[in-house]
Amino acid sequence: GCGKLTGVSNPITIRASGSRFGSWMTDTMTPSADSRVWYMDGYYKGRRVLEFRTLNDFVTGQNFVQHLLPHPWAGTGHVVFNGSLYYNKYQSNIAVKYHFRSRSVLVQRSLAGAGYNNTFPYSWGGFSDIDFMVDESGLWAVYTTNQNAGNIVVSRVDPQTLEVLRSWDTGYPKRSAGESFMICGTLYVTNSHLAGAKIYFAYYTNTSSYEYTDIPFHNQYSHISMLDYNPRERVLYTWNNGHQVIYNVTLFHVIKTSGEP
């Protein structure tokens, strides 16, 4: 089950390809027999999604199909969840749910008040205003608004309708964050996208509280433009300066003994 992040492994480089910025991922909620990999190079006005059959095919660059999205994307904060791609439509605060099998947009909806077009990006810029992520409890969107004075907002999102179910103001300025990811209802934020970055801040949605953390991770290629947790595989996916890299995570589990409440 779930736990608190206590450590991140050394990076494992899967492939070096693409531009400095991009996104790659596996589905966060499918049977383990499905090992497809999705690959989205660039952060700006992209529409081409490559779907590789297996991780090995991705490493060798073989056996892929191409999806051409009807609306271009902004940023690198996309996520694949249960057969659909969730992404931010270029030059808008609209969330798009694109279904791979039917090659169609199932739903799109504005995230009310969310900044876009480099209004509130991460420290590296790149139109990274809106970041979708999935953890053990479902789909989330991380962004900010003028009302929140540029601090990170975490919202639970209904994966069917894209409605915001509940939001939390973390108090952490988004432009000071390198990247962020969710594990077990907790948002973890890095303090930089460059060399020397560490996981510096944790916000717990279950208690609406936060703490400062000091979890080092080795930023091998010195420029991270995407960092996402996959709850099915318990790894972090990252795009690091034209390298596709994964990290294993260590979660601390609090074991209750019999008789405790």
Side-chain angles (χ1 to χ4, degrees), residues 111 139-143 153-157 164-168:
L111 285 167
L139 179 68
W140 304 82
V142 167
Y143 54 95
V153 177
V154 184
S155 292
R156 279 292 308 273
V157 177
V164 170
L165 304 173
R166 187 178 167 190
S167 295
W168 293 260

Side-chain angles (χ1 to χ4, degrees), residues 121-125 128 172-180 189-194 197 224-227:
Y122 289 122
S123 59
W124 63 272
S128 58
Y172 194 96
K174 188 158 184 287
R175 284 178 168 273
S176 301
E179 267 288 339
S180 67
V189 180
T190 73
N191 61 349
S192 170
H193 61 282
L194 301 170
I224 285 178
S225 60
M226 168 247 167
L227 183 60

Side-chain angles (χ1 to χ4, degrees), residues 19-240:
S19 65
R20 193 174 194 189
F21 317 94
S23 187
W24 74 293
M25 64 217 89
T26 54
D27 198 321
T28 49
M29 192 190 122
T30 55
S32 54
D34 182 351
S35 58
R36 288 176 296 168
V37 174
W38 286 271
Y39 177 86
M40 300 165 70
D41 189 13
Y43 65 84
Y44 177 75
K45 287 204 295 193
R47 289 178 58 204
R48 197 169 73 119
V49 183
L50 302 186
E51 176 190 305
F52 293 85
R53 197 176 53 187
T54 65
L55 184 64
N56 196 51
D57 287 335
F58 173 67
V59 170
T60 57
Q62 298 171 323
N63 294 325
F64 63 86
V65 294
Q66 176 175 290
H67 301 267
L68 209 57
L69 299 175
H71 310 296
W73 72 71
T76 58
H78 336 295
V79 71
V80 176
F81 178 55
N82 202 19
S84 290
L85 174 74
Y86 295 80
Y87 72 97
N88 176 207
K89 187 176 179 178
Y90 176 62
Q91 286 191 322
S92 75
N93 59 14
I94 291 171
V96 177
K97 178 184 182 181
Y98 175 85
H99 187 242
F100 284 115
R101 187 174 295 153
S102 64
R103 294 184 176 249
S104 62
V105 171
L106 297 185
V107 62
Q108 48 183 325
R109 181 185 290 266
S110 174
L111 285 167
Y116 61 94
N117 239 21
N118 267 346
T119 308
F120 298 116
Y122 289 122
S123 59
W124 63 272
F127 295 81
S128 58
D129 303 73
I130 296 170
D131 193 358
F132 294 99
M133 44 192 81
V134 169
D135 72 353
E136 290 77 2
S137 56
L139 179 68
W140 304 82
V142 167
Y143 54 95
T144 187
T145 65
N146 284 318
Q147 291 89 327
N148 288 76
N151 292 331
I152 290 176
V153 177
V154 184
S155 292
R156 279 292 308 273
V157 177
D158 184 315
Q160 302 305 320
T161 64
L162 298 181
E163 283 181 89
V164 170
L165 304 173
R166 187 178 167 190
S167 295
W168 293 260
D169 179 2
T170 66
Y172 194 96
K174 188 158 184 287
R175 284 178 168 273
S176 301
E179 267 288 339
S180 67
F181 55 92
M182 296 289 299
I183 300 180
C184 298
T186 300
L187 181 77
Y188 295 95
V189 180
T190 73
N191 61 349
S192 170
H193 61 282
L194 301 170
K198 61 186 179 181
I199 298 161
Y200 179 71
F201 179 86
Y203 187 88
Y204 304 99
T205 60
N206 60 339
T207 56
S208 302
S209 63
Y210 68 88
E211 67 175 342
Y212 289 93
T213 57
D214 187 5
I215 303 171
F217 72 105
H218 182 35
N219 184 351
Q220 187 170 357
Y221 306 106
S222 305
H223 194 289
I224 285 178
S225 60
M226 168 247 167
L227 183 60
D228 250 351
Y229 173 67
N230 185 310
R232 180 169 65 108
E233 301 168 13
R234 294 256 173 105
V235 298
L236 294 171
Y237 279 71
T238 180
W239 187 292
N240 195 339

